[in-house]
Amino acid sequence: MTDAPARILLVEDEPHLAVGIRFNLESEGYNVVHVETGEAALTALEDFSFELLVLDLMLPGIDGLEVCRRVRKDQPQLPILMLTARTEEADRVAGLATGADDYLTKPFSLAEFLLRVAGLLRRSRWQPQPPQKEHYDFGVFKVNLTELTAETPRGAITLTDQEAKLLRLFFANEGHVVTRQQLLSEGWGMAPDTETRTLDNFIVRLRKYFEPDPSKPQHFITVRGRGYKFQKDNN
Ligand code: CA
């Protein structure tokens, strides 16, 4: 048993539902990383350890069933709670057959959802946990999100919790756009339509730390009109 907050990966492509779920999980003290696609989920699972996967069934690209199938090969002990808008029994059976541990049909009550989450975590916490893996290297930079430290050619950096949280979000979504709305909401708990320079200032700081040349970003790329994208390799 461990006392650290459980780390949960939430894979959900409906923004409103994702915001509600994340808010409720964080209110319970869980540590949540949210991604919107199956591809991003698989990347996040390769780079970080989680104690629970909350997985939407219907996703663009690689769907929840396929994610579930692949996760089961690599991490047979990771509990999976599958969410689906479908009501057909066939999907439920398919979900459980591919290795989901539990299952909720949308719309569900958040109270019921939190009970299921707690139940799955309670069961899994009796199992030995793999060591937390929160090291992330890209280009000439080495980041340790557990220790809140980073090594750069310009020297060592101490990260704030806030910076680590947003870096984790970028790393988990490597190669995919993270929208301004997502960053504002997950980083600062701000409503998606907030007019603010907070995020812009944060990106400037991030580039000072983690770009060989902050004026020509290679890792934290602006995607005009949408947000930002983290690229591990500058090709
Ligand atoms: Ca969906």
Side-chain angles (χ1 to χ4, degrees):
M1 295 283 281
T2 164
D3 291 331
R7 296 168 47 74
I8 299 176
L9 177 63
L10 168 64
V11 190
E12 172 58 71
D13 63 318
E14 290 169 44
H16 283 93
L17 185 59
V19 166
I21 289 177
R22 190 174 52 78
F23 177 81
N24 277 273
L25 287 173
E26 287 184 345
S27 301
E28 295 289 307
Y30 299 120
N31 190 331
V32 181
V33 171
H34 169 225
V35 297
E36 295 185 338
T37 65
E39 286 85 349
L42 293 172
T43 306
L45 287 161
E46 267 174 35
D47 291 332
F48 299 107
S49 341
F50 295 95
E51 286 168 72
L52 174 67
L53 175 59
V54 177
L55 180 62
D56 184 29
L57 177 63
M58 297 293 286
L59 295 166
I62 300 177
D63 72 4
L65 283 183
E66 182 56 26
V67 172
C68 196
R69 216 170 273 131
R70 295 197 199 177
V71 171
R72 272 294 160 259
K73 271 191 212 150
D74 296 338
Q75 302 188 48
Q77 294 200 338
L78 178 68
I80 301 175
L81 172 56
M82 199 170 266
L83 309 178
T84 175
R86 298 177 179 175
T87 49
E88 287 88 349
E89 191 68 11
D91 290 314
R92 184 192 159 123
V93 171
L96 294 171
T98 50
D101 299 277
D102 204 350
Y103 180 97
L104 269 178
T105 303
K106 298 174 191 174
F108 48 80
S109 86
L110 283 163
E112 170 74 18
F113 170 76
L114 291 173
L115 278 176
R116 303 283 188 99
V117 165
L120 285 168
L121 286 170
R122 206 164 38 238
R123 267 190 267 159
S124 72
R125 284 199 158 194
W126 293 100
Q127 310 280 338
Q129 297 298 313
Q132 298 254 323
K133 156 177 88 157
E134 285 237 291
H135 298 266
Y136 205 93
D137 297 352
F138 59 97
V140 293
F141 304 97
K142 292 182 194 303
V143 179
N144 184 332
L145 293 175
T146 316
E147 305 287 331
L148 298 177
T149 56
E151 291 171 37
T152 82
R154 294 184 286 271
I157 292 171
T158 304
L159 299 166
T160 64
D161 285 331
Q162 174 82 342
E163 288 161 351
K165 188 173 180 180
L166 286 157
L167 281 171
R168 193 176 284 124
L169 179 65
F170 272 118
F171 295 160
N173 285 282
E174 185 207 331
H176 304 277
V177 177
V178 181
T179 62
R180 288 185 65 87
Q181 290 84 345
Q182 223 179 328
L183 288 161
L184 284 173
S185 142
E186 304 207 7
W188 291 270
M190 289 184 189
D193 53 355
T194 309
E195 291 282 341
T196 172
R197 298 290 302 165
T198 305
L199 176 56
D200 308 78
N201 295 338
F202 170 79
I203 296 290
V204 168
R205 192 163 72 245
L206 207 58
R207 286 175 174 161
K208 262 188 214 150
Y209 290 165
F210 299 119
E211 290 289 357
D213 177 356
S215 67
K216 295 191 187 70
Q218 301 178 343
H219 297 297
F220 295 90
I221 315 288
T222 303
V223 182
R224 204 162 290 282
R226 295 193 60 201
Y228 299 92
K229 183 166 75 173
F230 169 70
Q231 285 185 176
K232 197 167 180 171
D233 303 308
N234 40 302
N235 39 33

